[in-house]
Amino acid sequence: MSSVLLQDLTPVLSLTISSLGARTARIRHCFRDCPREDLAMPTPVEQWVNQVAQVTRPKNISWCDGSAAEYQRLIQEMLATGTLIELNQKEYPGCYLHRSDPSDVARTEHLTFVCTSKQEDAGPNNNWMPPAEAKEKVGALFSGAMKDRTMYVVPYIMGPVNSPYSQIGVEITDSPYVAVNMRIMTRMGKAALDRLGASDNYVKGLHSLGDLSPERRFILHFPEERLIWSIGSGYGGNALLGKKCFALRLGSAMAREEGWLAEHMLILGIEEPSGRTTYVAAAFPSACGKTNMAMLVPPASQKGYKVWTVGEDIAWMNVGADGRLWAINPEAGFFGVAPGTNLHTNPNVMATIRQNTIFTNVALTPHDTPYWEGLDGPPPHEALDWQGKPWTPDSVTKAAHPNSRFTTPASQCPSMSAEWENPQGVPISAMLFGGRRANLIPLVYQSFNWQHGVFLGATMASETTAAATGKVGVVRRDPMAMLPFCGYNMGDYFGHWLRMGQRLSQPPQIFRVNWFRMTSEGKYLWPGFGENLRVLRWVLARVHGEVGAAETPIGYLPHPTGIDVTGLDVSPEALKELFAVDRPGWMEAVAGQQEFFTKFGDHLPKEIWQESEALARRLQA
Ligand code: GTP
Ligand code: SPV
Ligand code: MN
């Protein structure tokens, strides 16, 4: 058939589809390489889109091709409806502000479910609903949900376009804000559909803003069907389904089946003055410093060091033929925390977000520039706060929401590694687990071996942050920074980590870090940010067998001279505190850990209990 004929057939095709029952498949941008011999037969994705359209009844359907022209069109439409506000195009070209519904500003973990046939497969770490019940209850909310709205079909690739470790997803959404954010965060559009072809091997994500009511908000995962349903929220982690829902919750379940790891980790390369580059992955809970560390700028005192960014939130890791662990960043952009971001803490991201960036829930100055707490310079004399209300520095409320964010393309970041899109990924030599802990946890220490390292990850706890709704500053257990993101029973997850270690002949060395120790007056004991490179240098020296360490009950700690602190404003007393092992404090911690582990019953590997008991014995010795 000639392409002309095929194009002429398009109306017939829609008729055919509607005779199959899909009444809304009329508007459809054909951007694939026509002619296609099989165009008369809907592909699995087309069939699914038609089924969804029948239920949600959108006004029309728009297949996203990921082009710049399409992006611009969506931006213009959102400017017209007020969904976006144009920022000062001279100072922030291509940048826009979005104000979300005030009740929809963070992940809502209590409305997030893993729907497996058996409850124990979801585990005590997840909210659970039986799949049939979930479908009935939430299916009713999807019925007619897209009436008078456009349905966007967003095909995307998680991972570099040509990587064997990449995966395809398709998100159906009625939010143009989600569609443009997905273009920044993933390889979105034609490349994904081309790679998918007529295959049905993709993750389905169905998203609707619904009525944005928290009463009718659900984020549901069906790992057995590789399906996500999200309704009632437009917020990042709830609505950009490639990120936490796919890359972590479904991803972790897929990784367990297929023998890889999907982790809430940044990936960076540290280049030493000698030219040697070592790759490190680090798991810190939400709003605990991944983006900052991934883009670390060495301070002037650390001459000749460079830090290269590979990823700042998620790592997918596979066992290489060489017995090392290789990591790719499945994302293409950053969805980063705005407050606290400035030229001192993260100059690289400050350069990145000066163009083509969507800001969400930051404040707006009279010059139409974005503002948030902790930005460089004095605050503006007046501004509109994140809800669009007048604000001055005397206001008791914050100008920007504490979880206000930017969505920005990774390719714009000055510190991106030349390897960041390497289809094979980068080899990981060290993994860090770090929480936000005012007390107890030293600045850095190393595990004795892989099994003990898995235990260090499994026993992580951290103070809660504004990245999720709920109380801030409460210490909660957050193994591997994955508590909100592990899509299956976490006891089995620890077992999977242990098994992965057995397959690695050159496993990464595992460390705990803590940048957040505080004095009793609430002052940070450690300067953090760029100065964290001093800690990373000890990590590298350990990895490469270049420095000794002190063996303590909790692990290997640096010798007093192990970490170079010359020129830092850190008192000898502070240093002592940063590296102290508080035995009574640790004994209490062990009790808390064991209480947590008990919840996993038979699913908890015996090795984790052995490590816990061994730690208790060493502390008592
Ligand atoms: P998510 O995007 O939610 O996963 O967060 P993240 O882990 O990427 O955290 P991010 O780097 O955005 O940092 C969150 C907050 O922690 C910001 O307010 C930072 O300023 C602060 N922060 C980051 N690194 C450090 C550090 O080394 N020391 C201190 N004291 N604060 C830090
Ligand atoms: C996090 O909360 O860990 C984030 C932001 O990275 S979100 O995408 O909303 O999960
Ligand atoms: Mn995150």
Side-chain angles (χ1 to χ4, degrees):
M1 273 191 264
S2 77
S3 62
V4 176
L5 230 173
L6 274 172
Q7 274 157 20
D8 289 343
L9 272 178
T10 310
V12 181
L13 172 68
S14 353
L15 269 178
T16 318
I17 294 171
S18 54
S19 67
L20 287 171
R23 271 163 261 184
T24 35
R26 260 159 311 197
I27 299 189
R28 168 156 179 200
H29 302 269
C30 180
F31 54 87
R32 278 177 279 174
D33 298 331
C34 294
R36 249 190 39 201
E37 296 300 329
D38 57 346
L39 201 57
M41 268 297 288
T43 63
V45 183
E46 288 166 345
Q47 287 178 35
W48 176 59
V49 167
N50 292 330
Q51 281 164 12
V52 169
Q54 247 191 300
V55 175
T56 58
R57 305 203 172 267
K59 151 179 102 192
N60 49 38
I61 302 178
S62 176
W63 287 69
C64 292
D65 62 10
S67 66
E70 171 187 85
Y71 182 82
Q72 282 313 323
R73 180 173 55 78
L74 291 175
I75 295 281
Q76 292 309 319
E77 284 173 18
M78 284 188 279
L79 289 172
T81 56
T83 300
L84 290 183
I85 297 167
E86 189 168 76
L87 293 176
N88 186 320
Q89 293 298 297
K90 236 164 133 182
E91 287 193 46
Y92 285 86
C95 294
Y96 304 92
L97 166 66
H98 171 72
R99 292 192 191 119
S100 71
D101 188 281
S103 73
D104 187 29
V105 292
R107 281 183 295 101
T108 38
E109 295 179 2
H110 62 295
L111 305 174
T112 302
F113 291 79
V114 168
C115 307
T116 43
S117 325
K118 284 192 279 175
Q119 180 164 13
E120 68 173 313
D121 290 342
N125 47 299
N126 282 303
N127 300 315
W128 176 79
M129 256 194 263
E133 186 189 318
K135 291 242 172 104
E136 198 181 311
K137 182 168 173 179
V138 179
L141 300 177
F142 274 110
S143 177
M146 298 187 184
K147 204 169 153 283
D148 304 325
R149 297 181 190 166
T150 296
M151 171 202 267
Y152 300 93
V153 181
V154 181
Y156 61 96
I157 304 175
M158 295 309 286
V161 173
N162 296 318
S163 171
Y165 306 122
S166 295
Q167 306 259 1
I168 295 173
V170 178
E171 174 164 357
I172 295 178
T173 177
D174 56 10
S175 161
Y177 167 82
V178 165
V180 294
N181 275 274
M182 286 295 283
R183 181 171 184 269
I184 297 174
M185 293 306 296
T186 70
R187 281 88 174 171
M188 187 270 256
K190 185 173 183 306
L193 272 197
D194 285 350
R195 191 170 151 159
L196 183 62
S199 159
D200 63 355
N201 185 14
Y202 67 97
V203 167
K204 298 183 178 82
L206 169 57
H207 170 254
S208 171
L209 294 170
D211 63 4
L212 287 178
S213 161
E215 308 295 307
R216 285 171 291 281
R217 180 178 301 161
F218 292 95
I219 296 94
L220 307 179
H221 304 74
F222 303 89
E224 291 151 11
E225 294 173 67
R226 300 199 173 175
L227 170 69
I228 304 153
W229 276 11
S230 167
I231 190 161
S233 169
Y235 172 74
N238 293 339
L240 308 178
L241 301 185
K243 198 173 177 54
K244 295 308 179 11
C245 300
F246 177 176
L248 289 179
R249 295 198 193 92
L250 289 195
S252 60
M254 291 156 71
R256 178 192 177 207
E257 275 172 36
E258 297 165 5
W260 48 283
L261 290 169
E263 299 299 324
H264 192 201
M265 288 183 172
L266 68 91
I267 310 163
L268 57 73
I270 305 158
E271 184 180 332
E272 293 171 89
S274 67
R276 175 175 73 185
T277 299
T278 306
Y279 293 95
V280 174
F284 310 154
S286 302
C288 290
K290 287 181 301 300
T291 301
N292 277 273
M293 164 142 276
M295 287 159 219
L296 186 152
V297 174
S301 64
Q302 308 295 303
K303 269 198 198 55
Y305 284 86
K306 287 193 194 112
V307 170
W308 299 108
T309 310
V310 178
E312 51 84 61
D313 198 49
I314 298 175
W316 281 359
M317 297 183 283
N318 288 271
V319 179
D322 58 0
R324 291 193 289 177
L325 193 61
W326 290 73
I328 63 162
N329 169 13
E331 302 190 278
F334 313 144
F335 182 59
V337 178
T341 304
N342 59 52
L343 289 171
H344 166 69
T345 56
N346 195 341
N348 280 316
V349 98
M350 289 300 286
T352 311
I353 62 181
R354 282 310 282 254
Q355 56 277 308
N356 309 319
T357 298
I358 297 173
F359 294 89
T360 300
N361 294 335
V362 300
L364 183 65
T365 74
H367 304 290
D368 293 328
T369 59
Y371 174 75
W372 51 80
E373 277 69 20
L375 187 62
D376 306 273
H381 297 299
E382 54 172 351
L384 293 177
D385 74 5
W386 64 276
Q387 298 191 63
K389 297 182 183 148
W391 179 93
T392 72
D394 295 330
S395 301
V396 288
T397 52
K398 297 224 189 279
H401 188 276
N403 192 41
S404 54
R405 296 210 172 226
F406 47 76
T407 320
T408 196
S411 58
Q412 293 181 176
C413 178
S415 61
M416 280 326 269
S417 162
E419 301 298 313
W420 88 278
E421 296 194 282
N422 187 327
Q424 295 303 320
V426 295
I428 301 298
S429 299
M431 292 203 285
L432 317 183
F433 292 115
R436 187 182 280 269
R437 293 293 295 275
N439 302 298
L440 193 71
I441 311 296
L443 181 64
V444 60
Y445 63 101
Q446 185 186 7
S447 74
F448 298 123
N449 51 47
W450 180 268
Q451 178 174 309
H452 181 233
V454 173
F455 175 73
L456 294 193
T459 50
M460 195 155 81
S462 189
E463 291 148 23
T464 51
T465 66
T469 55
K471 226 170 147 198
V472 166
V474 185
V475 177
R476 72 163 179 186
R477 309 230 70 90
D478 190 354
M480 279 89 167
M482 282 288 278
L483 182 73
F485 307 121
C486 178
Y488 62 101
N489 190 313
M490 213 153 198
D492 298 333
Y493 169 76
F494 301 145
H496 179 55
W497 264 83
L498 292 169
R499 275 191 305 279
M500 286 294 290
Q502 289 162 4
R503 291 172 49 211
L504 293 164
S505 57
Q506 301 180 71
Q509 299 294 309
I510 299 179
F511 299 80
R512 279 290 301 266
V513 296
N514 178 18
W515 318 134
F516 299 95
R517 284 294 291 274
M518 279 189 172
T519 63
S520 44
E521 290 85 49
K523 261 193 69 201
Y524 286 115
L525 281 173
W526 177 251
F529 300 101
E531 303 296 355
N532 292 334
L533 181 65
R534 297 172 189 255
V535 173
L536 288 174
R537 284 179 60 186
W538 185 75
V539 166
L540 295 195
R542 290 296 293 162
V543 163
H544 296 296
E546 294 161 354
V547 70
E551 190 170 338
T552 79
I554 61 170
Y556 294 120
L557 260 87
H559 286 308
T561 55
I563 291 178
D564 173 22
V565 291
T566 34
L568 282 189
D569 183 21
V570 181
S571 68
E573 298 76 50
L575 266 185
K576 225 175 129 198
E577 246 187 277
L578 283 168
F579 293 110
V581 179
D582 162 15
R583 284 183 189 241
W586 275 101
M587 292 296 290
E588 232 175 275
V590 169
Q593 294 166 4
Q594 295 193 343
E595 191 187 317
F596 177 70
F597 286 146
T598 304
K599 292 187 188 166
F600 297 95
D602 292 349
H603 288 264
L604 194 86
K606 63 177 187 326
E607 291 87 345
I608 299 292
W609 276 123
Q610 285 164 4
E611 288 294 337
S612 179
E613 283 155 12
L615 170 62
R617 271 199 307 278
R618 291 193 301 268
L619 287 166
Q620 277 156 349

